[in-house]
Amino acid sequence: MKLQFVVGAIFILLVTACSNDTEQAISNVTTTIKDQADNIRDIDNPHVQSIKNGHLENYPTKSVGDAFNDFFGSPTWKHFKAETGEEVVEFTGHMKYQETNLKARLQFVVNENGTFEIGALSFNDVPQNELIKNGVLSAVFDSEHANSNESNTGANRVQNAPSRNESISNQDTKTTNSTQSSNDQQPNDLNGDYYYTDEDGNPLNELSFSINSKHITGTIIINTIDDKTAVIDFSGTLKNGKVKSTFEDDGWGESGTMQLKIDGNTAIATITANENENSTGWGINTGSYEFQKSEP
């Protein structure tokens, strides 16, 4: 009687396990079919084409589409609009990671200005952290892998993806679209003097700076009240069109931090003023100030 009970229990467990495996297999097949159908539907989608024709800043010689299609097996691309209103392009493809066959799913968020950011990555629908994502990108764009004869077989693998305790150096996932004109390029390496005026036409607001081998020094003048202006001097290393700096005195005793973002003909200064009990009220206020490139 006990033997019959044990055999029956084992049979139930086996049936349950087979059932779970079957359900998972059916789910995987269904998802793959849907991804392939979405890929066909969105093959000419402008957002998809924008990502596929774009380039990562650290890998300007090969487009995202070529690199991903070469590295991954069964690549698919689709577009959707997120609940947040963001335009998202989602890529799926098969690869090997630590000797395991995986289906990678990576999202690209399309910005209004034509650039895009790399979003979430998952393996078999399990979210991955930033270190793993950067490791995958490094492997995808490494020439040894991107030009491999194993392309589109799903056999390409991430061999150098960092562990959770390893750090990433010189890896930036900010991207630019290859269709941008040269006038929209960020002046990371453009030595020289630059002058910007207020976006809204206030003649008292102006921005000027000089770049020398990515080191930037400059001055921001902001109209605060009536005809009074605050002056902020800044300096730092320009990276991906951005520089952060602190200031100790704007001419009215105010101090704080400033981040300047330069995007072609537009520059935005985001200023955070420290609390000051002795403020005159004439100094700089916390806020963002937008400038347009002009001639001095």
Side-chain angles (χ1 to χ4, degrees):
M1 185 70 177
K2 290 183 179 180
L3 178 61
Q4 291 178 337
F5 175 79
V6 171
V7 171
I10 293 174
F11 176 76
I12 293 173
L13 289 173
L14 289 174
V15 169
T16 301
C18 291
S19 176
N20 291 337
D21 290 343
T22 301
E23 290 178 0
Q24 184 61 51
I26 293 174
S27 176
N28 291 341
V29 171
T30 302
T31 301
T32 298
I33 293 174
K34 186 177 184 306
D35 288 336
Q36 294 290 348
D38 291 338
N39 182 67
I40 295 173
R41 180 199 65 196
D42 291 344
I43 191 168
D44 294 321
N45 180 278
H47 294 296
V48 171
Q49 290 300 317
S50 174
I51 300 299
K52 292 173 72 174
N53 293 328
H55 294 77
L56 297 189
E57 287 184 350
N58 284 354
Y59 305 97
T61 61
K62 191 160 191 175
S63 70
V64 171
D66 286 345
F68 274 65
N69 289 342
D70 284 349
F71 184 84
F72 290 92
S74 303
T76 68
W77 303 82
K78 73 175 181 180
H79 162 259
F80 66 90
K81 193 164 188 174
E83 294 181 357
T84 58
E86 295 175 314
E87 303 291 348
V88 179
V89 171
E90 187 174 83
F91 170 84
T92 66
H94 294 271
M95 56 174 282
K96 281 189 177 181
Y97 177 64
Q98 295 182 345
E99 303 305 320
T100 301
N101 292 319
L102 299 171
K103 182 174 184 178
R105 190 177 298 273
L106 180 65
Q107 294 180 345
F108 300 82
V109 181
V110 183
N111 299 321
E112 292 182 357
N113 64 357
T115 63
F116 54 91
E117 307 287 338
I118 295 181
L121 168 71
S122 66
F123 290 159
N124 294 346
D125 295 324
V126 177
Q128 303 299 309
N129 61 26
E130 289 295 312
L131 294 180
I132 298 299
K133 181 170 71 175
N134 287 337
V136 169
L137 291 172
S138 178
V140 168
F141 283 90
D142 184 278
S143 59
E144 177 183 352
H145 293 285
N147 297 321
S148 170
N149 291 329
E150 298 178 279
S151 298
N152 293 320
T153 65
N156 286 324
R157 63 190 69 209
V158 179
Q159 295 178 339
N160 299 316
S163 68
R164 294 177 183 268
N165 296 322
E166 293 178 320
S167 62
I168 298 290
S169 62
N170 300 322
Q171 177 65 36
D172 194 331
T173 58
K174 182 174 175 59
T175 58
T176 58
N177 190 299
S178 62
T179 60
Q180 288 179 282
S181 68
S182 59
N183 291 332
D184 293 329
Q185 293 176 354
Q186 297 170 343
N188 287 2
D189 299 304
L190 301 181
N191 296 335
D193 300 325
Y194 296 84
Y195 180 75
Y196 289 68
T197 54
D198 182 69
E199 167 73 8
D200 297 323
N202 187 331
L204 297 180
N205 291 352
E206 61 181 56
L207 163 68
S208 59
F209 56 85
S210 298
I211 300 175
N212 184 9
S213 298
K214 292 191 178 182
H215 183 76
I216 180 172
T217 57
T219 300
I220 299 176
I221 301 176
I222 300 294
N223 179 210
T224 55
I225 186 171
D226 296 330
D227 62 345
K228 296 178 174 60
T229 57
V231 179
I232 296 176
D233 295 321
F234 64 91
S235 64
T237 300
L238 189 65
K239 183 178 181 181
N240 298 321
K242 296 180 182 178
V243 62
K244 294 182 179 180
S245 181
T246 60
F247 61 93
E248 298 300 325
D249 188 356
D250 67 344
W252 301 101
E254 304 294 338
S255 61
T257 60
M258 185 279 304
Q259 176 176 284
L260 180 65
K261 180 182 179 181
I262 305 166
D263 187 4
N265 292 328
T266 302
I268 299 175
T270 302
I271 297 173
T272 303
N274 296 330
E275 292 186 6
N276 183 4
E277 295 180 354
N278 301 316
S279 175
T280 62
W282 295 340
I284 193 71
N285 293 314
T286 295
S288 294
Y289 304 85
E290 187 167 344
F291 302 86
Q292 284 294 317
K293 192 174 182 181
S294 182
E295 295 296 330

